[in-house]
Amino acid sequence: MARPVSGRVTVRAVAAEAGVSIATVSRVMNGHLHVAEQTRELVQQALDRLGAPPPARPGSGAVYLRCPYVLTDYFGLIVSSIAETLALHGRRLVLDAGEASQHARVLPSLPQDPAIAGAILILPPEPSEELEALHAEGFPFVVVDPRTRLSPDIASISAANVTGARSVTAELTALGHRRIGVIGGPVEWLAGQSRIVGHTSALADTGTLMAPELVHHIEPTLEGGYAAANRLLDLSRRPTALVAFNDKVAVGAIRAAHERGLRIPQDLSVTGFDDSDLSRSTEPMLTTVRQPLEEMGRIAVSLLVRLLEGHTVDTLHIELATHLILRGTTAPPPGH
């Protein structure tokens, strides 16, 4: 379906009138910089004849940033980085944030808004089919931290979740841990699946299989971590270490351990993921995996700008390295 320019005038109609491609009209309408002046004039004349509004000034199209979550730690850092980088590129930002918008169907309307040049979607809750439909419209967008596996021709940025999870579990097994509890994110999330792969791989290196009773999938919140840790610590053979999906989950797990009189790390090791400010506020400070959150935002903008300006992009999926940050919440298991 062709994108409407105004009322009944579509991109397809403008392209036919001007004698250029639909993609060229889209670039002109969204103010892309790299369009020949003669071509821009042809499209402008076609718009005038069809009674459609003028195109955006070069580089002036806004970027729609969708992050339907509370903007704390993880999400706040990415959003702030995107906003700052867009400002450097002279791009206006339209922000859609907050959990209340999670169930709103906003993606189908984006290609119909001539003021919106492209979008950045952070952990989008929409099904992959809806993202693929948006891509099929020719609308430029980049996904940060995909929730589900995407088509290879959809641009995306993520962290090296498998490697990060593998590194933290390998550190625990090197200390002597074998019975390791996992407090993972929702089972359908791509990041959660990848981290389970990394964890399982590191365990396999020691000849250890992941015990099903040691794995809990939760909403990655402090309270979720607290509840899951209590269930794991209630086992007749409790784990000697807990690997948490993020730092908030890890803090909840530490609270559950403290309430039982367990010392961290002498009686129980705990690790997180993200390296948020929370990881440096616990006592002892949290061993965690650092995700380059601000860099994810900067690269998302860089990739989107290249798409908006019509550059050839050979690498549409970028995976950024993670790093294990050793602090004070890991030690050999008791009696080791």
Side-chain angles (χ1 to χ4, degrees):
M1 183 175 67
R3 293 174 59 183
V5 172
S6 175
R8 297 179 181 176
V9 180
T10 65
V11 171
R12 189 182 303 279
V14 176
E17 181 71 20
V20 299
S21 69
I22 292 174
T24 296
V25 173
S26 181
R27 287 196 293 271
V28 172
M29 291 302 301
N30 286 315
H32 294 186
L33 297 173
H34 298 291
V35 178
E37 192 55 42
Q38 183 179 6
T39 302
R40 197 182 299 278
E41 183 61 29
L42 283 174
V43 172
Q44 179 61 70
Q45 292 171 0
L47 290 168
D48 291 342
R49 289 193 294 271
L50 294 171
R57 296 186 311 276
S60 66
V63 171
Y64 190 93
L65 175 56
R66 177 159 165 78
C67 182
Y69 308 95
V70 177
L71 299 185
T72 57
D73 46 72
Y74 179 89
F75 295 112
L77 284 172
I78 297 175
V79 168
S80 296
S81 175
I82 289 171
E84 291 169 359
T85 311
L86 283 172
L88 292 175
H89 283 275
R91 287 279 179 178
R92 188 166 58 89
L93 169 66
V94 176
L95 177 61
D96 170 16
E99 292 180 341
S101 70
Q102 281 192 14
H103 303 293
R105 290 197 75 233
V106 300
L107 300 192
S109 64
L110 291 181
Q112 302 172 23
D113 188 339
I116 301 296
I120 297 175
L121 313 174
I122 302 176
L123 192 66
E126 290 82 5
S128 56
E129 293 80 9
E130 194 165 327
L131 296 172
E132 289 167 8
L134 184 63
H135 176 70
E137 288 271 1
F139 182 78
F141 68 97
V142 175
V143 177
V144 177
D145 195 8
R147 183 180 287 203
T148 57
R149 198 168 301 280
L150 300 177
S151 166
D153 55 355
I154 292 178
S156 64
I157 312 289
S158 63
N161 287 296
V162 173
T163 304
R166 179 179 170 82
S167 68
V168 76
T169 299
E171 171 64 20
L172 291 170
T173 59
L175 291 170
H177 294 276
R178 295 296 182 271
R179 192 162 173 80
I180 302 172
V182 177
I183 308 176
V187 68
E188 69 274 13
W189 284 18
L190 187 59
Q193 296 166 13
S194 298
R195 293 179 196 175
I196 289 292
V197 169
H199 173 72
T200 304
S201 172
L203 280 180
D205 287 345
T206 69
T208 305
L209 295 177
M210 185 175 67
E213 72 272 13
L214 291 179
V215 182
H216 287 273
H217 293 279
I218 63 164
E219 287 297 320
T221 63
L222 190 151
E223 289 304 320
Y226 172 77
N230 275 320
R231 291 194 294 271
L232 287 165
L233 296 174
D234 278 338
L235 294 172
S236 57
R237 285 186 59 224
R238 75 180 182 219
T240 61
L242 297 179
V243 171
F245 182 80
N246 64 17
D247 294 341
K248 286 186 291 188
V249 170
V251 169
I254 290 173
R255 186 178 117 206
H258 281 319
E259 288 181 358
R260 294 163 181 266
L262 297 175
R263 298 168 301 165
I264 307 293
Q266 295 91 333
D267 301 321
L268 179 73
S269 290
V270 179
T271 68
F273 212 102
D274 288 346
D275 192 32
S276 65
D277 288 343
L278 273 177
S279 67
R280 294 176 291 282
S281 66
T282 60
E283 178 55 44
M285 289 193 290
L286 182 66
T287 290
T288 188
V289 174
R290 176 177 294 160
Q291 293 200 77
L293 302 179
E294 291 172 299
E295 184 67 5
M296 288 168 70
R298 287 189 286 265
I299 291 182
V301 172
S302 176
L303 183 52
L304 180 63
V305 168
R306 291 175 66 194
L307 294 173
L308 289 172
E309 295 182 353
H311 295 299
T312 299
V313 179
D314 292 326
T315 304
L316 283 172
H317 176 67
I318 299 172
E319 186 174 88
L320 300 182
T322 52
H323 301 281
L324 177 63
I325 307 298
L326 293 173
R327 295 198 179 104
T329 56
T330 48
H336 189 76

